Structures are given as C-alpha cells and as structure tokens.
C-alpha cells in the first residue's frame, strides 16, 4: 500500500558533479595501507576516473538554476512554488539530469569527440490549474543555464510522440482527503456496529492507492478499504484490513459531484450505505471478526530466546586496506579486472555505467527500470491493486544503509541526492561498496594426495529502496570468474487482505488475515556491448534426440546442443525454457575467439525468477508489457531508453511508454542490443511472512557471465588460493604470494560500528533559494 499521492513523491537525489574537466589519467593515487596497526583502521584507496561521470545527477547549482528558469516569466509556465501550491496550481514535480543519448556518449568515451555530451535537465511539471490536469515532461538546457538555455516539452523517449501530455485523473488529493473523512463520519453507525470503531478511534480509510482507480467511459472510481487503527509505533497498517470496502465516483474536479456508489462486506455488494445499514439491522446479518494492532503484527523483538544467541556472532572484517579504489567525486570504482561508474538517478535509482572488464566495455548500462507488484483477491481493493514502484522515482526511496547490518561495518559508502518539487534531499550512505568472502570457495579440486582450493571474494554494490510497505535490496556482485550477479531481495510488510472468502487468493495467516497472493516483477535493463556495440543473440537449446552413429548398429537416445541465433525482435520476447533447457548469450559474431566460437556474455537465472501470471491484466492494460515474459531483447535506440515511464500508471490505456511498441521487427543480427530481464517472485505469503517478509526466501537473481569470452577461467589468476599436498613426510602448503594480515587486533569500528552517527537524510529548499545560506536544512 502506498498512501502517498499518485504523482507526488515526498522527497528525492542529485549526486554532486565534480570537476568538469576531462580527466584522461588513470592513476591509482595511494593504495598503500594507512592508519596505525594498533587501530587496524584503513582509508579507502582512491583513484582518478578516466573521464568525468556524465551520468551523475544535477549539481546544487544546476538544480537551483533550472528551477529558477522554470519559474521565470520567460518560461511562461505559470508555476506556483510547490510549498504554496494547491491542487489547482501548476507545480514542479521533479528535476533531475536528462540522461544523455548513448550515441553522443560513445563519441566521447571512445575518444571520437573531445567534448562531453551537452548536459540537460529533465523536469516533470504538473498542470493542475485546469479542468483537465496533466503532467508533461520537459527538457531544460543546455547546462549550465545561460540566456541561451531553453525549456521545451520532451516526448522523444516515449512511444507516443507529439507533446505527450499525460492526463492525471486524480489530481485533487486534498479534496479526496476531505471526502474520505466525510465517508468515515457518515458510516460511523456501521463501523461502530461492526467493530466499535469510529473516526475518534482513528479508523483508517487510506486514499489514492495506485490502482483501485478505474476509468471507463470517462468515469473515475476508486475503491477504499477500512483499516483498523494503528496503536503502536509500528507500521502495522498493512496488516489491519477490516473487510469493508467503499467505492466512490470521483469523476471530474468538482468535489460536490463526487459520491459513494457501493459497498462490499463479506462478498456481498450493497449499492448504497443505506442498503448496508438495512442489512446490518437484519438479525440474520453475519458479523465477521475484526482485527487490532498487536504484538504479532509488530516488527520488534519477540519470541522465545534462542540458545547462545546473546553471544557475539561471527563477523567479516577487513584485514587490510580495501582492495578496490574509488574516485568518490566521480563515483568511479575499480576492483580487480572490473571498473565502472555509479550513479543514483532520481528515476531509476542505483545504476552502473561503462562497466569494463579487462579494459573492455561489457555493459554500457545496468540498472533497475521498474518493480511492479500485481495483486489478486476476492475483494475489490486487492483485486484492483498493482503498484508501479517507479512511479515515485526509485532515487528518493533510497535509504541510509545501516552499518554492520545492511552492509559490513567496513564498507565504503556513497551519498545520493535527488530533487523533488523544489527540495533537494541527500541520503547519507545511500550506496555501499565492499568486498566479501562469499563463504564458499569459487573453485576446488582434490586428487591423489593433493587439494587445490580458491577463495571466492566478490565486490558488492548495494542500495535499499523502502517503498511504502516493502524494502527492496538490490545488489550487484562482481566475481573473480568475471561474472556479475544482479539480485533483488524483498522484506518489510506484506500488503494483506481480509480473510473472508479469500481462500483461492491466499492462505489464512492470522485470525482475520489473508496473505494476499501477488506477483513481483522487477525489470532490469542490461545494455551489453561485447567487443563493440554490434552483437547478436545466440541461443543454445539442449534437446533430447535419437541418433545414429558410425560405430553403432541401430540408434541411441541421447541429447544435443542446437545452436542458433534470434534473428529479429519478432522473436525477442523470451521465456526461460522448462528444465532450463535454453541458454541465451549476447555474442559478437564478427570477433570469433581462437577456437572459432563467438565470444559473449550469457544471461542466466541464479535464483528464482518470474513474469506476471495474469494475462491481459485489466488493471495494467498497455502500461506493463514489460512484465509478460522473462526477458526481452531489442535493438537499442536512443528513443527506447527505458522499459517503462514513471507516469505509465496514470494512463494505462495509452501510456507514455508502451513497451510492446519497442518490438517492431528490427534485426538483432550484429546490432547494438539491449537485454531487459525480469527478476521476481510469485508471492503467496504464509505465516512466516508475519510480521515481515524475510530476505532469505524473497530473493531473485540473475547472472551475467563470460561465455567463450576468455580462453580460460580468470579466477585462476587469484593469489587467494592454496595447494595442499599430503605425503608420508607431512603436508606441504603452496601459496602464490597472498600476504598475511599484518594487523592482529580486531578493529571495533568494523565489528561494532557507531550507529549513533546514523541519520536519515538532509533536505534543502531550492526555491526560493536562499543564496546566503545555500545549505539551509529544512
Ligand atoms: C508563498 O505564499 C506567501 C504568502 O502569499 C508568499 O509570501 C511567499 O512568497 C510564497 N512563497 C513562494 C515560494 O512563492
Ligand atoms: C496561472 O495559474 C493560476 C493558478 O496557479 C491560475 O489561477 C491562473 O488562471 C493561471 N494563469 C493563466 C494565464 O493561465
Ligand atoms: C537524443 O537524440 C534525439 C535525436 O537526435 C534528440 O532529439 C534528443 O534531444 C537527444 N536527447 C538528449 C538528452 O540529448
Ligand atoms: C568514431 O569514429 C570512427 C571514424 O569516423 C567511426 O568509424 C566510429 O564508428 C566512431 N565511433 C563511434 C562510437 O561513433
Ligand atoms: C546573453 O548573455 C551574454 C553573456 O552574459 C550577453 O553578452 C548577451 O547580451 C546576452 N544576450 C541576451 C539576448 O540577453
Ligand atoms: C466501545 O469502545 C469504547 C471506547 O472507544 C468503550 O468505552 C466501550 O466499552 C466499547 N464497547 C464495547 C461494546 O466494547
Ligand atoms: C556523505 O555525506 C556526509 C555527511 O554530509 C559527509 O560527511 C560525507 O563525506 C559524504 N560522503 C561522500 C562520499 O561524499
Ligand atoms: C553392424 O552389424 C553388422 C551385422 O551384424 C556388422 O557386420 C557390422 O560390423 C556392425 N557394425 C558396427 C559398427 O558394429
Ligand atoms: C477485462 O479485459 C478484457 C480484455 O482483456 C475485457 O474483455 C473485459 O471486458 C475487461 N473487463 C472489464 C470489467 O472491463
Ligand atoms: C619424503 O622425504 C624423503 C626424504 O627426504 C624423500 O626421499 C621422499 O621423496 C619424500 N617423499 C615425498 C612424497 O616427497
Ligand atoms: Cu510480496
């Protein structure tokens, strides 16, 4: 459940842009161990990015100037400062970097052009001062803002063309809040009868769910669910449905015309409140149990003590300085044979750009595009619910990571900054980077008195997004064999249903509660470049077959590898085969390896994945065509930058980006390819989801691994391996120069990080901008 309004996120990021000069030198500054051995504390070794981070968000100055230009008379937009605005004003919803076209970026990073792509800002404006409110996207630039800079509508990255105004059918959030408060008042006799609860008890009727908002024949109606009061500090609201639902017709902008049009209780529809009143007076009326905020619903500590659990658990520590280098200003990272740029975009959150392996780009871009959760249920609210989590922008939902819990105490952190409305918010420690021993070796083999075994050390990049009820953890892991794992875990509260009549849509998981069945589909964009941008999609099917052989009379039942290429986008919508029988890799046919095979990178599920079970969903219509398959491959175009659009859910019939339109038959033969893959889970909550879903099971992951790309396994090069030989003379140990830790004391900072330094975030108002105190925190 998201209780914020549909299109207005409450806060947002801008990463600080550093030195604008192109930096060609790639020199690790000092990777030497610093700090004294007695404290065993080490500084993060630094490096200098080969060029500036062109994907990094707006600087403070850029954000201020863009907002000022939008408000200027010259722009002619008639905007009201968001802090003063009503639903009947025009406002800025968000301002962020307009990501540059890859075509322009490649000219620069491959050295064809010495100037970096011109920077522009992307602004979403809400026009509320009209009978038919709409959101419109603008491009503002060039940056820095001068008297040459302009503000223009931008629909280039939509599938609609034109000026792509996005109609907003529920603009009147303030009026809905009043309307809802009146419903609660009017229905007090009913709620008192059913549960002895009234407005005075803080019975809840949350507003503006993302989806139970139906538009047909120009009618807009919304279902809302009565929810028991929250009586603790915990966010138990997600577990307190009471089983009474009300529908309102909220068509048009005149609140005096809005009306209640139906009620549902115990799977019976009542056309009016009076019908429901009449029903409850009937002695035969079946009153169902209510619910209340109690211990079982609270994510605090409860339960029987666990043996030895009070004792300190094992913890991973850094034995020396971090073995990776960071240019913190440019958010550029080098680890072993990998290097990449990091950004935290307002729209799409943590993203990696120009990921190189052994000096060659393998991914232009890797990041999250959308996370949907599609529910089902006997009641109109769960049945009508789909969350499009990109709707509020992923960037603003990034949380400050908790040292020693979300990431090891020794991790390196980056801040993220986003601008929502006219306020810039910096999330301290929004991204963490750390090396970790995965707890199992990457390789081993034992033979005749010998054993060889290699540690599995990985570099992790992580961010957590808390979006309403759920906390999504996204992790990018780099391994010594060259593979990259992309994983998502979900924790937090489930969005649940009232138990009555819901057996086919969930388990009964508490006295009055059903764990509401839903699908999570989490879409990532992976723009792979294998030895250049011209690549093909290789498919290897493992098929049963019956074969004849020269050395055999008769036939043998066996299996074969059937190799082919996916020729066009017509075959670019792909589901993983049953039994994992098909493999897909992005390869370069023009650059065969020494053995004549095509070098590539394979995409393979590393943990359960899912696409949307619902077919032709009535509540997504054309807005979620990126959820219908496991993966998609398209020819990359500057105009097809994202699988979805932040305002897709506002116009599901004719959304700004209809992903299905990306499939127009383009060749996939030696073209620049983009893989869009879905992680996800079919979530059938059970009693173990109370009070919160846990990361162990709510987990989905994909591997991107070198596939005939190198001539062997690169992890052989790691010094972190040992060879043991046993003989009658004892055991001999062979190593390859791995140094022992020089510091033997345990650094308490790493083991028990100081959590008193944990802060949420810092918000700074950018309009009106107070130049005398530019960092005034609000
Ligand atoms: C908000 O409204 C007040 C009162 O009308 C006005 O003084 C103030 O300048 C307005 N703020 C902005 C940012 O426009
Ligand atoms: C400008 O917006 C205000 C509401 O903020 C509205 O009352 C006014 O009519 C608008 N002016 C024009 C010229 O559209
Ligand atoms: C991307 O390229 C298109 C087509 O050339 C152009 O219209 C658009 O403005 C470019 N976008 C940006 C952000 O540079
Ligand atoms: C760079 O320029 C060369 C020569 O004009 C051209 O062949 C190549 O495609 C260009 N590279 C990119 C990334 O545009
Ligand atoms: C734009 O700014 C430049 C430099 O600040 C100035 O010389 C020029 O006159 C300005 N042009 C206009 C049309 O205001
Ligand atoms: C109903 O609630 C009120 C307080 O909110 C309480 O005083 C009263 O005893 C309750 N009635 C019943 C029947 O539980
Ligand atoms: C993050 O913000 C904190 C607090 O403002 C600051 O001390 C720290 O240096 C920042 N970190 C980076 C990597 O910029
Ligand atoms: C197949 O059977 C024939 C007849 O028994 C025999 O002559 C021949 O050598 C066999 N072929 C092989 C490959 O074993
Ligand atoms: C649901 O969608 C289907 C088409 O996929 C349509 O036939 C049906 O009428 C829709 N239901 C409603 C209530 O609009
Ligand atoms: C064990 O040591 C003896 C004496 O040094 C030597 O002759 C023999 O080869 C050694 N055996 C192995 C397996 O190394
Ligand atoms: Cu779930």
């Amino acid at each position: 459940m998201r209780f914020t309004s549909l299109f207005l996120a409450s806060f947002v990021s801008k990463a600080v842009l550093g030195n604008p000069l192109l930096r060609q030198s790639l020199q690790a500054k000092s990777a030497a161990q610093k700090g004294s051995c007695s404290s065993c504390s080490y500084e993060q070794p630094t490096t200098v990015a080969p060029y500036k981070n062109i994907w990094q968000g707006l600087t403070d100055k850029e954000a201020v100037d863009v907002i000022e230009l939008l408000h200027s008379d010259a722009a002619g937009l008639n905007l009201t400062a968001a802090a003063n605005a009503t639903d009947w004003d025009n406002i800025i919803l968000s301002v962020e970097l307009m990501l540059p076209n890859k075509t322009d970026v490649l000219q620069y990073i491959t050295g064809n052009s010495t100037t970096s792509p011109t920077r522009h800002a992307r602004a979403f404006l809400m026009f509320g001062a009209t009978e038919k409110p709409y959101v419109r996207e603008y491009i503002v630039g060039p940056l820095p803002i001068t008297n040459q800079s302009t503000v223009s509508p931008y629909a280039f990255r939509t599938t609609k063309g034109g000026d792509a105004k996005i109609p907003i059918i529920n603009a009147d959030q303030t009026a809905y809040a009043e309307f809802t408060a009146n419903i609660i008042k009017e229905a007090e006799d009913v709620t008192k009868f059913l549960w002895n609860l009234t407005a005075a008890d803080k019975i809840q009727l949350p507003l503006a769910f993302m989806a139970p908002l139906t538009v047909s024949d120009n009618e807009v109606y919304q279902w809302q669910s009565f929810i028991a009061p929250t009586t603790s500090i915990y966010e138990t609201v997600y577990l307190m449905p009471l089983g009474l639902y009300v529908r309102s017709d909220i068509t048009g902008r005149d609140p005096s015309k809005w009306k209640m049009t139906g009620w549902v209780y115990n799977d019976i529809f009542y056309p009016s409140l009076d019908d429901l009143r009449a029903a409850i007076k009937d002695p035969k009326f079946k009153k169902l149990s209510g619910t209340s905020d109690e211990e079982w619903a609270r994510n605090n500590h409860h339960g029987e003590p666990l043996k030895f659990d009070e004792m300190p658990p094992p913890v991973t520590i850094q034995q020396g300085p971090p073995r990776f280098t960071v240019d913190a200003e440019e958010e550029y990272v080098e680890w072993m044979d990998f290097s990449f740029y990091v950004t935290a975009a307002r729209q799409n959150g943590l993203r990696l750009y120009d990921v190189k392996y052994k000096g060659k780009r393998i991914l232009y871009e890797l990041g999250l595009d959308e996370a949907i959760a599609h529910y089902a249920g006997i009641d109109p609210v769960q049945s009508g619910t789909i969350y499009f989590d990109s709707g509020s922008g992923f960037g603003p939902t990034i949380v400050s990571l908790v040292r020693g819990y979300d990431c090891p105490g020794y991790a390196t952190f980056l801040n993220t900054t986003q601008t929502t409305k006219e306020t810039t918010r910096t999330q301290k420690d929004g991204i963490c980077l750390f090396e970790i021993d995965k707890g199992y070796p990457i390789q081993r083999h034992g033979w005749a008195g010998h054993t060889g075994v290699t540690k599995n050390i990985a570099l992790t990049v992580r961010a957590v997004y808390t979006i309403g009820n759920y906390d999504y953890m996204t992790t990018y892991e780099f391994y010594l064999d060259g593979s990259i794992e992309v994983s998502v875990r979900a924790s937090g509260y489930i969005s649940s249903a009232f138990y009555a009549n819901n057996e086919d849509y969930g388990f009964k998981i508490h006295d009055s509660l059903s764990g509401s069945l839903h699908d999570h589909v989490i879409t990532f964009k992976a723009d792979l470049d294998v030895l250049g941008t011209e690549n093909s999609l290789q498919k290897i099917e493992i098929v049963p077959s019956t074969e004849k052989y020269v050395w055999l009379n008769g036939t043998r039942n066996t299996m074969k590898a059937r190799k082919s290429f996916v020729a066009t986008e017509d075959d670019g919508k792909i589901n993983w085969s049953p039994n994992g029988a098909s493999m897909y890799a992005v390869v370069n046919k023009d650059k065969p390896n020494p053995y004549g095979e095509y070098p590539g990178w394979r995409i393979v599920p590393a943990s359960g994945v899912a696409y949307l079970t619902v077919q032709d969903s009535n509540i997504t219509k054309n807005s979620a065509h990126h959820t219908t398959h496991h993966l998609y491959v398209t020819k990359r175009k500057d105009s097809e930058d994202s699988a979805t659009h932040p305002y897709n859910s506002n116009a599901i019939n004719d959304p700004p980006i209809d992903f299905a339109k990306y499939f127009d038959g383009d060749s996939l033969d030696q073209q620049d390819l983009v893989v869009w893959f879905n992680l996800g889970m079919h979530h059938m909550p059970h009693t173990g989801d109370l009070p919160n879903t846990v990361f162990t099971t709510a987990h989905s992951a994909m591997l991107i691994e070198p596939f005939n790309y190198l001539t062997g396994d690169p992890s052989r090069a790691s010094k972190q391996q040992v060879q043991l030989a046993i003989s009658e003379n004892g055991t001999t140990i062979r190593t390859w120069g791995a140094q022992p830790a020089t510091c033997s004391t345990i650094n308490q900072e790493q083991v028990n990080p100081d959590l008193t330094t944990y802060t949420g975030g810092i918000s700074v108002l950018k309009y009106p901008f107070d130049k005398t105190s530019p960092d005034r925190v609000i």
Side-chain angles (χ1 to χ4, degrees):
M1 283 178 219
R2 279 49 164 182
F3 300 149
T4 51
S5 76
L6 185 46
F7 48 83
L8 311 176
S10 42
F11 39 77
V12 193
S13 167
K14 163 226 66 87
V16 179
L17 183 79
N19 185 346
L21 298 173
L22 175 61
R23 305 204 221 158
Q24 293 288 10
S25 62
L26 173 58
Q27 355 146 325
K29 278 175 196 161
S30 162
Q33 181 169 332
K34 292 196 183 139
S36 71
C37 185
S38 61
S39 67
C40 293
S41 99
Y42 308 98
E43 279 176 28
Q44 170 64 53
T46 58
T47 186
V48 176
Y51 56 88
K52 69 179 181 161
N53 186 337
I54 46 196
W55 304 277
Q56 211 168 34
L58 300 180
T59 62
D60 273 335
K61 176 154 179 31
E62 286 173 333
V64 167
D65 289 352
V66 167
I67 291 169
E68 197 170 274
L69 177 59
L70 288 167
H71 275 284
S72 69
D73 291 341
L77 294 163
N78 189 22
L79 301 180
T80 301
N84 274 359
T86 69
D87 296 331
W88 278 88
D89 291 309
N90 304 332
I91 60 163
I92 296 172
L93 294 177
S94 62
V95 171
E96 66 180 312
L97 177 75
M98 176 69 80
L99 285 167
N101 287 321
K102 181 181 178 184
T103 306
D104 300 332
V105 173
L106 286 190
Q107 292 295 322
Y108 172 63
I109 66 178
T110 60
N112 270 13
S113 163
T114 52
T115 52
S116 60
T118 310
R119 279 170 75 82
H120 296 274
R122 179 192 207 193
F124 282 105
L125 307 185
M126 165 74 190
F127 293 89
T130 161
E131 277 300 327
K132 297 225 174 276
Y134 60 93
V135 163
R136 202 182 201 183
E137 182 175 352
Y138 285 81
I139 185 168
V140 185
L143 302 179
I145 297 292
T146 66
N147 58 13
Q148 304 297 307
S149 300
T150 59
V151 176
S152 328
Y154 191 75
F156 176 66
R157 289 177 187 157
T158 69
T159 53
K160 293 184 66 160
D163 60 12
K165 289 183 185 173
I166 304 149
I168 300 296
I169 51 170
N170 61 345
D172 295 289
Q173 300 294 320
T174 315
Y176 298 142
E178 281 168 31
F179 181 72
T180 297
N182 282 333
I183 296 177
I184 294 175
K185 275 266 165 232
E186 275 196 58
E188 264 189 4
D189 54 329
V190 174
T191 60
K192 201 166 168 62
F193 168 81
L194 290 173
W195 318 291
N196 192 25
L197 291 171
T198 65
D201 303 301
K202 299 200 161 57
I203 192 171
Q204 307 177 71
L205 189 55
L207 246 196
F209 291 96
M210 278 226 174
L213 191 68
T214 310
V215 195
S216 59
D217 303 329
N218 296 319
E219 280 187 349
V220 181
Y221 63 87
Q222 166 172 277
W223 280 102
Q224 288 167 274
S225 161
F226 282 80
I227 289 175
T230 308
T231 55
S232 63
I233 60 159
Y234 299 96
E235 216 177 13
T236 53
V237 59
Y238 305 110
L239 302 179
M240 298 291 132
L242 288 164
L244 177 66
Y245 311 92
V246 56
R247 185 176 66 188
S248 316
D249 179 344
I250 51 168
T251 310
R253 299 207 67 183
D254 180 355
S256 70
K257 300 212 169 98
W258 299 345
K259 49 187 182 295
M260 293 178 251
T261 61
W263 294 76
V264 167
Y265 184 76
N266 198 9
D267 207 27
I268 299 167
F269 177 77
Y270 302 96
S272 74
L273 185 53
D274 284 339
D275 295 318
L276 177 58
R277 282 190 178 117
I280 63 175
K281 288 199 182 100
D282 186 332
K284 280 183 293 200
F285 180 80
K286 193 172 170 221
K287 193 159 127 178
L288 305 170
S289 63
T291 190
S292 60
D293 178 357
E294 279 153 27
E295 198 77 335
W296 62 271
R298 299 173 184 168
N299 58 310
N300 55 12
H301 170 262
H302 55 243
E304 292 297 310
L306 301 165
K307 196 173 180 186
F308 298 146
D309 181 44
E310 67 285 2
M311 287 166 32
V315 64
T316 51
I317 57 164
Q318 185 80 52
Q319 298 191 80
R323 307 189 315 157
F324 58 97
T325 56
V326 176
D327 180 337
E329 203 170 294
E330 299 301 339
E331 299 182 309
Y332 169 79
V333 180
E334 290 175 357
W335 176 77
M336 302 295 157
D337 278 336
F338 286 101
S339 69
F340 52 89
Y341 287 81
V342 177
T343 180
R346 185 186 193 284
Q347 186 49 48
N348 294 330
L350 168 60
R351 294 183 99 66
L352 308 181
Y353 281 96
D354 199 12
V355 180
K356 287 188 175 165
Y357 184 60
K358 295 188 185 290
K360 295 191 170 100
R361 185 175 64 253
I362 54 169
L363 284 153
Y364 173 76
E365 181 182 9
L366 177 62
L368 173 66
D369 266 15
E370 181 61 287
I372 65 127
H374 193 305
Y375 290 74
I378 194 75
D379 72 70
V381 168
Q382 292 308 104
S383 181
T385 297
I386 177 170
Y387 299 130
F388 288 85
D389 284 334
S390 79
S392 50
F394 285 106
T397 69
I398 291 176
V399 301
S400 294
L401 296 161
V402 181
R403 292 165 191 248
Y405 289 82
D406 286 321
C407 316
Y410 58 82
T412 299
F413 293 85
L414 298 172
N415 302 332
T416 65
T417 304
Q418 324 277 339
T419 304
T420 297
K421 297 181 183 170
E422 282 111 5
T423 303
T424 292
R425 185 174 172 87
T426 297
Q427 207 64 42
K428 184 170 171 270
D429 299 348
I431 296 170
C432 71
L433 297 150
F434 58 90
E435 261 196 311
I436 195 151
D437 184 320
K438 293 298 291 177
Y440 65 94
I442 196 168
Q443 173 279 339
R444 87 176 315 288
H445 183 59
W447 72 101
H450 292 75
T451 299
V453 59
T454 311
K455 289 191 189 214
N456 189 3
I457 311 293
L459 179 77
T460 301
V461 186
R462 172 172 291 164
V464 171
Y465 309 89
T466 298
I467 307 171
N469 53 318
Y470 267 128
D471 299 62
Y472 291 107
M473 174 178 280
T474 58
T475 305
Y476 298 93
E477 260 179 312
F478 295 84
Y479 292 99
L480 287 168
D481 66 337
S483 60
I484 303 170
E485 186 170 330
V486 180
S487 74
V488 171
R489 289 183 159 83
S491 189
Y493 277 102
I494 57 166
S495 170
S496 61
F498 192 63
Y499 75 101
N501 313 298
N502 210 47
E503 298 78 14
D504 290 345
Y505 300 95
F507 290 117
K508 188 174 178 193
I509 59 172
H510 204 262
D511 297 338
S512 301
L513 199 66
S514 166
S516 186
L517 168 66
H518 56 280
D519 275 353
H520 293 274
V521 183
I522 301 158
T523 307
F524 284 81
K525 176 183 181 186
D527 178 350
L528 287 136
D529 287 340
V530 181
L531 305 174
T533 53
E534 283 157 29
N535 301 146
S536 302
L537 183 65
Q538 189 176 36
K539 177 179 184 183
I540 300 101
E541 290 165 279
I542 312 301
V543 292
S545 68
T546 299
E547 297 298 323
K548 286 186 173 170
Y549 299 102
V550 292
W551 42 264
L552 180 73
N553 275 324
T555 61
R556 178 160 294 180
N557 291 337
T558 180
M559 61 181 166
K560 281 181 127 172
R562 189 187 291 152
K563 300 176 200 160
S564 64
F565 288 91
V566 177
T568 71
E569 287 177 345
D570 294 337
D571 297 315
K573 298 177 184 172
I574 298 165
N575 287 333
W576 298 113
S577 310
N579 198 27
S582 296
M583 301 173 185
Y584 294 90
V586 173
V587 303
N588 192 327
K589 280 166 125 178
D590 294 334
K591 309 234 166 108
N593 73 11
Y595 317 113
E597 303 289 359
Y598 303 130
W601 290 74
R602 179 186 167 200
I603 316 287
V604 60
S607 181
V609 296
Y611 60 82
L612 183 61
T613 309
V614 182
Q615 301 284 298
D616 291 329
S617 168
N618 288 77
I619 59 172
T620 69
K621 295 205 179 143
N622 295 316
S623 63
H625 288 311
H626 58 280
T627 63
T628 60
H629 291 75
H630 282 135
L631 79 160
Y632 304 86
V633 181
T634 60
K635 177 180 164 178
R636 193 205 63 81
K637 293 174 184 162
D638 286 336
S639 56
E640 296 177 0
D641 189 54
S642 176
T644 184
H645 187 278
Y647 295 94
N648 257 22
S649 62
N650 296 79
I652 61 174
N653 285 304
D654 187 19
I657 293 180
D658 178 347
F659 186 65
K661 292 187 177 163
Y662 288 7
F663 296 83
D664 48 4
D666 286 319
S667 166
L668 299 178
D669 184 40
Q670 291 304 94
Q671 302 290 337
D672 192 358
L673 303 185
V674 176
V675 178
W676 317 82
F677 63 83
N678 281 322
L679 299 185
M681 38 235 147
H682 304 295
H683 195 174
M684 179 78 174
H686 62 101
T687 50
D689 285 271
L690 293 180
N692 279 180
T693 297
V694 287
F695 279 148
T696 39
T697 53
H699 174 219
S700 177
M702 194 72 71
L703 270 173
I704 302 172
E705 60 178 24
F707 196 60
N708 292 320
Y709 185 78
L710 303 168
T711 51
D713 163 27
S715 77
R716 294 292 76 236
S718 173
K719 292 188 170 66
Q720 303 303 323
Q721 58 178 301
V722 68
Q723 193 173 301
L724 304 177
I726 310 164
S727 75
E728 71 263 26
N729 297 339
T731 302
T732 54
I733 302 165
R734 192 163 172 212
T735 58
W736 283 269
Q739 295 165 1
T742 53
C743 190
S744 56
T745 33
I746 291 174
N747 176 355
Q748 287 301 320
E749 268 291 293
Q750 285 187 27
V751 179
N752 295 305
D754 176 10
L755 297 183
T756 63
T757 62
Y758 186 75
T759 61
I762 294 171
S763 299
V764 179
L765 187 64
K766 299 296 185 192
Y767 186 84
F769 183 61
D770 184 354
K771 292 192 174 74
T772 59
S773 60
D775 298 319
R776 188 167 58 93
V777 172
I778 56 170

